[in-house]
């Protein structure tokens, strides 16, 4: 296990200086919308919170953290914040494979396509798409979280944003529950799957959804994707623990203890595999973690796209 | 001799956690917690009730093993909200690091 203080200090410093926990420049990070046909104005704002974009970098970083956890080198994590952010940015960009970045780029493009095909009035403005700060909140860095959340919320408010479409549970929880509470600024927040209006008979198969903690318990949204998939001809076979009692994938522990995270996800994968069906994730962190544990897992948006083919 | 210090629970309220005193130590949270070790988070709630601040600060890193998954809060029969109490303790410890 790493010293939480070292990790929190590093992440908080990165967020304060670069507005994201990995210190990666937004230019490197957020390119999924480039050369892609997406409305640039009108309707709700599609707000990714950059979580899917972080995933290839999270996977690389946690692989390194895992190698040095509990070793004599672990203590050097505290010096991470002394490394210039430009160097971190370039380093991480260089060691992260392009095909991994493309996988997550495609997920966001799929979500955009699903919204368009569902007739949703929305637009994307990359300059307004920021990290929500949720990791700082989860780690207990409350002052730093509130400072960052105010920056994000005030920026959105200044641009007149009222309706937001989110793509992951962590950002959804931050914008829907935490922002009103800690910044005093509220938006009408919906996840993309709450807006799906698609029908097909191409699905015709069974899957098992892994409910993330934030969707299953905190936001109680588990039934929404089940119904949306039902209209696409896909039947959801529940895992042993799902909905309000869903099991955590272990993802939240990966920055402090990748070993603990691996232990938790192993148990969850076993539960999900009991149904014998294709496993579907709705959260980038869960997707990455389940995949790392060897599960055959697909993102919800990829499944929906297949059903529409 | 153990001195009970109820002030600690009030101190934690400043960090957004004011439900620890509701806990009657049934252990449901410890049974459902994915960490399955040493009566977590029940033990921490007991320390708060007793005001055993030093026991929590002895090994503060343990708090960050909590995944904030919310299963303990979902199943708590007393509404003691153990998940948020642990988050409150993390905030308390972090705020103390900042001060020191």
């Amino acid at each position: 296990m790493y010293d939480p203080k070292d990790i929190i200090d590093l992440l908080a410093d990165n967020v304060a200086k670069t507005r994201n926990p990995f210190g990666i420049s937004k230019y490197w990070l957020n390119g999924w919308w480039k050369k892609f046909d997406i409305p640039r104005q009108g309707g709700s704002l599609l707000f990714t919170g950059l979580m899917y974009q972080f995933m290839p970098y999270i996977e690389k970083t946690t692989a390194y953290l895992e190698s040095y956890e509990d070793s004599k080198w672990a203590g050097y994590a505290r010096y991470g914040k002394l490394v210039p952010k430009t160097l971190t940015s370039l380093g991480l960009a260089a060691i992260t494979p392009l095909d991994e970045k493309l996988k997550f780029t495609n997920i966001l493009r799929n979500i955009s396509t699903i919204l368009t095909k569902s007739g949703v009035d929305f637009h994307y403005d990359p300059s307004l798409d920021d990290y929500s700060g949720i990791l700082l909140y989860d780690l207990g860095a409350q002052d730093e979280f509130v400072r960052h959340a105010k920056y994000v919320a005030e920026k959105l408010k200044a641009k007149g944003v009222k309706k937001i479409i989110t793509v992951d549970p962590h950002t959804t929880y931050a914008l829907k529950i935490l922002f009103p509470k800690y910044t005093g600024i509220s938006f009408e927040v919906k996840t993309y799957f709450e807006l799906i209006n698609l029908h097909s008979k191409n699905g015709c198969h069974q899957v098992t959804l892994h409910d993330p903690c934030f969707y299953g318990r905190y936001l109680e949204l588990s039934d929404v994707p089940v119904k949306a998939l039902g209209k696409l001809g896909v039947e959801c076979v529940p895992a042993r623990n799902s909905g309000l009692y869903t099991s955590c994938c272990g993802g939240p522990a990966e920055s402090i203890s990748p070993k603990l995270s691996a232990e938790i996800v192993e148990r969850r994968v076993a539960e999900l595999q009991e149904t014998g069906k294709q496993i579907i994730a709705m959260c980038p962190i869960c997707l990455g973690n389940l995949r790392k544990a060897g599960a055959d897992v697909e993102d919800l948006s990829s499944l929906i796209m297949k059903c529409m083919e | 001799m153990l001195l009970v210090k109820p002030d600690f629970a009030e101190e934690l309220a400043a960090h957004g956690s004011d439900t620890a005193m509701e806990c009657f130590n049934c252990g449901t949270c410890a049974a459902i917690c994915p960490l399955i070790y040493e009566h977590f988070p029940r033990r921490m709630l007991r320390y708060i009730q007793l005001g055993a601040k030093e026991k929590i600060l002895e090994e503060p890193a343990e708090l960050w093993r909590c995944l904030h998954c919310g299963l303990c809060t979902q199943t708590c029969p007393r509404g003691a909200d153990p998940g948020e109490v642990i988050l409150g303790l993390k905030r308390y410890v972090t705020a103390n690091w900042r001060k020191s």
Side-chain angles (χ1 to χ4, degrees):
Chain A
M1 184 176 193
Y2 284 87
D3 184 338
K5 185 178 183 305
D6 294 343
I7 301 294
I8 293 170
D9 283 350
L10 174 62
L11 297 177
D13 186 64
N14 283 342
V15 171
K17 289 178 181 158
T18 66
R19 297 286 170 203
N20 78 68
F22 300 96
I24 312 164
S25 136
K26 204 167 157 184
Y27 175 80
W28 291 104
L29 195 64
N30 193 28
W32 72 274
W33 52 276
K34 292 173 189 167
K35 296 179 188 166
F36 184 69
D37 188 19
I38 184 166
R40 299 302 296 270
Q41 51 186 347
S44 305
L45 172 73
L46 178 61
F47 189 92
T48 72
L50 308 181
M51 293 294 283
Y52 275 100
Q53 294 90 319
F54 287 145
M55 280 316 296
Y57 303 98
I58 290 179
E59 285 173 355
K60 267 286 161 201
T61 312
T62 50
Y64 281 110
L65 285 173
E66 206 166 351
S67 325
Y68 298 113
E69 186 176 1
D70 298 329
S71 76
K72 61 178 180 179
W73 305 106
Y76 286 93
R78 77 180 57 118
Y79 302 111
K81 66 178 181 184
L82 302 177
V83 179
K85 305 304 171 199
T86 328
L87 205 61
T88 315
S89 198
L90 285 169
L92 270 172
I95 60 169
T96 308
L98 187 62
D99 58 341
E100 281 302 304
K101 292 178 199 165
L102 272 175
K103 274 182 199 163
F104 293 99
T105 289
N106 286 338
I107 289 175
L108 292 170
R109 290 182 173 182
N110 285 344
I111 290 171
S112 173
T113 305
I114 290 164
L115 288 170
T116 305
K117 289 190 186 259
S118 294
V120 178
D121 184 17
F122 77 102
H123 73 284
Y124 185 67
D125 180 346
S127 71
L128 293 178
D129 196 3
D130 284 304
Y131 173 58
S132 69
I134 189 71
L135 190 53
L136 295 178
Y137 176 81
D138 286 339
L139 290 172
Q142 185 68 5
D143 292 346
E144 292 87 343
F145 165 72
V146 173
R147 210 174 299 136
H148 179 73
K150 280 183 179 165
Y151 164 81
V152 177
E154 281 163 9
K155 191 169 148 189
L156 292 169
K157 190 184 170 189
K159 287 285 182 182
V161 174
K162 289 189 171 58
K163 292 181 177 183
I164 288 176
I165 301 170
T166 52
V167 302
D168 78 89
H170 298 268
T171 307
T172 309
Y173 184 71
L175 266 63
K176 203 168 178 170
I177 309 293
L178 302 178
F179 276 30
K181 189 172 173 184
Y182 295 110
T183 73
I185 300 171
S186 301
F187 305 99
E188 191 186 312
V189 182
K190 283 202 182 296
T191 64
Y192 82 92
F193 58 71
E194 288 176 277
L195 301 165
I196 297 173
N197 184 20
L198 297 168
H199 297 263
S200 166
K201 285 179 182 162
N202 292 349
C204 297
H205 60 288
Q206 297 180 317
V207 298
T208 289
L209 287 181
H210 162 66
D211 293 317
C213 300
F214 277 123
Y215 282 154
R217 251 185 306 281
Y218 288 82
L219 297 165
E220 299 187 18
L221 286 172
S222 295
D223 57 327
V224 182
V226 174
K227 284 178 189 160
L229 287 175
K231 289 177 188 167
L232 289 163
V234 179
E235 187 193 339
C236 296
V237 180
R240 182 148 54 95
N241 293 316
S242 55
L244 286 173
Y245 298 96
T246 187
S247 298
C248 182
C249 75
E254 65 187 352
S255 61
I256 303 282
S257 175
K259 278 183 191 165
L260 173 67
S261 179
E263 204 182 300
I264 307 281
V265 74
E266 201 178 313
R267 292 206 293 265
R268 181 52 171 167
V269 167
E271 284 179 5
L272 292 166
Q273 284 175 338
E274 277 172 15
T275 67
K277 309 297 175 196
Q278 168 73 53
I279 301 167
I280 303 296
M282 296 176 263
C283 164
I285 306 284
C286 299
L287 178 67
N289 226 27
L290 294 169
R291 205 172 66 166
K292 199 164 64 181
D296 178 15
V297 56
E298 194 173 34
D299 190 76
L300 176 67
S301 61
S302 314
L303 172 68
I304 294 170
M305 287 297 284
K306 277 185 194 165
C307 293
M308 292 192 303
E309 277 168 9
Chain B
M1 188 178 73
L2 181 70
L3 196 63
V4 176
K5 289 170 275 186
D7 295 356
F8 184 46
E10 287 169 27
E11 206 179 328
L12 271 183
H15 297 277
S17 167
D18 59 357
T19 50
M21 297 310 260
E22 299 297 323
C23 169
F24 59 7
N25 271 272
C26 67
T28 306
C29 57
I32 196 109
C33 177
L35 299 183
I36 46 171
Y37 81 110
E38 292 177 11
H39 298 278
F40 191 90
R42 175 192 182 198
R43 189 164 48 97
M44 294 296 172
L45 274 89
R46 193 66 174 151
Y47 287 155
I48 295 169
Q49 292 179 331
L50 296 172
K53 196 193 302 192
E54 63 287 350
K55 293 294 281 182
I56 293 166
L57 296 176
E58 246 171 40
E59 282 186 83
E62 289 302 294
L63 297 167
W64 277 271
R65 289 170 63 90
C66 169
L67 303 155
H68 196 222
C69 72
L71 265 173
C72 52
T73 292
Q74 184 68 38
T75 51
C76 176
R78 289 280 294 167
D81 208 348
E84 293 306 305
V85 170
I86 298 299
L87 185 57
L89 281 173
K90 287 180 187 171
R91 289 177 189 148
Y92 170 79
V93 172
T94 308
N96 274 288
W97 283 336
R98 299 278 183 266
K99 275 187 222 160
S100 61

